[in-house]
């Protein structure tokens, strides 16, 4: 039932903007939906597709994947490569094409601790995204190895953004604490 609603919603949105829509089943059983705009270009590469493409470009462990809406919509991935180095991969969100990849040379002790925690996580980035997907379209997943190891997941549903945490060991999904505590410029790392 949810699948039909998602397909119908994307189709309606695409047709309202002068395009068409196509829905296909993914290997996870959830529909992967591609809206095509009036110019005929596909509007989105799904989270799981972007993760697969990034990990094909740089084999390793996905540490974060974020959809960026700059001048060109992209997926930005950080991967702990099998070589033990952090790699950054940028994909075109429309085509899935790798636009850029490089090794992050600005690593420090905190990055090394994050890498160790990431290697010990029982739940991967794609599993965290799959668990959070029932609450909306996943637009960002980032590992947070500080204190309680969680995947910070952003979803969008009915034009509202929602921040969730997925426990990196148990996979339990919870609402993320609000960053709106009255401090301007706070990055949300209070506790």
């Amino acid at each position: 039932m949810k699948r039909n609603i998602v397909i119908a919603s994307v189709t309606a949105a695409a047709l309202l903007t002068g395009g068409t829509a196509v829905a296909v089943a993914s290997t996870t059983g959830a529909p992967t939906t591609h809206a095509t705009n009036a110019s005929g270009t596909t509007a989105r590469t799904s989270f799981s597709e972007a993760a697969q493409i990034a990990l094909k470009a740089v084999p390793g462990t996905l540490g974060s994947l974020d959809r960026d809406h700059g001048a060109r919509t992209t997926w930005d991935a950080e991967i702990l490569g099998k070589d033990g180095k952090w790699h950054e991969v940028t994909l075109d969100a429309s085509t899935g094409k790798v636009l850029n990849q490089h090794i992050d040379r600005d690593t420090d002790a905190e990055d090394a601790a994050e890498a160790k925690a990431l290697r010990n996580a029982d739940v991967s980035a794609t599993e965290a995204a799959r668990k959070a997907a029932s609450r909306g379209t996943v637009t960002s997943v980032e590992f947070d190895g500080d204190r309680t190891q969680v995947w910070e997941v952003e979803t969008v549903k009915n034009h509202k953004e929602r921040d969730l945490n997925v426990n990196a060991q148990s996979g339990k999904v919870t609402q993320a604490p609000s960053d709106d505590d009255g401090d301007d410029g706070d990055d949300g790392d209070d506790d």
Side-chain angles (χ1 to χ4, degrees), residues 9-25:
S9 298
V10 171
T11 302
L15 292 174
L16 286 173
T17 60
T20 60
V22 177
V24 296

Side-chain angles (χ1 to χ4, degrees), residues 87-168:
H87 297 256
E88 295 179 4
V89 179
T90 302
L91 308 172
D92 183 303
S94 296
T95 65
K97 179 181 177 189
V98 175
L99 300 174
N100 186 13
Q101 71 181 63
H102 63 276
I103 295 173
D104 183 2
R105 305 257 183 234
D106 296 328
T107 59
D108 56 20
E110 186 176 313
D111 291 327
E114 187 92 358
K116 182 178 179 182
L118 179 60
R119 283 189 196 103
N120 292 327
D122 290 333
V123 176
S124 71
T126 53
E127 290 169 321
R130 192 174 17 253
K131 289 180 179 291
S134 65
R135 303 194 186 181
T137 301
V138 176
T139 59
S140 176
V141 174
E142 182 174 354
F143 184 74
D144 182 356
D146 297 336
R147 292 171 224 164
T148 306
Q149 297 172 0
V150 297
W151 289 100
E152 296 172 343
V153 182
E154 292 179 9
T155 63
V156 175
K157 187 172 187 177
N158 298 325
H159 304 287
K160 291 185 181 183
E161 191 173 289
R162 188 171 188 187
D163 295 326
L164 304 168
N165 287 335
V166 178
N167 185 290

Side-chain angles (χ1 to χ4, degrees), residues 2-3 5 7 11 14 20 28 59 61 84 88 121 152 159:
K2 287 182 183 179
R3 178 177 166 170
I5 292 170
I7 293 169
T11 302
T20 60
T28 62
T61 305
E88 295 179 4
E152 296 172 343
H159 304 287

Side-chain angles (χ1 to χ4, degrees), residues 34-35 37 39-46 49-50 53-54 67 72-75 90-100:
H34 301 281
N37 62 22
S39 66
T41 59
T42 303
R44 294 278 173 259
T45 299
S46 73
E49 291 168 330
I53 294 166
R67 191 167 64 203
R72 177 185 213 170
T73 302
T74 60
W75 283 104
T90 302
L91 308 172
D92 183 303
S94 296
T95 65
K97 179 181 177 189
V98 175
L99 300 174
N100 186 13

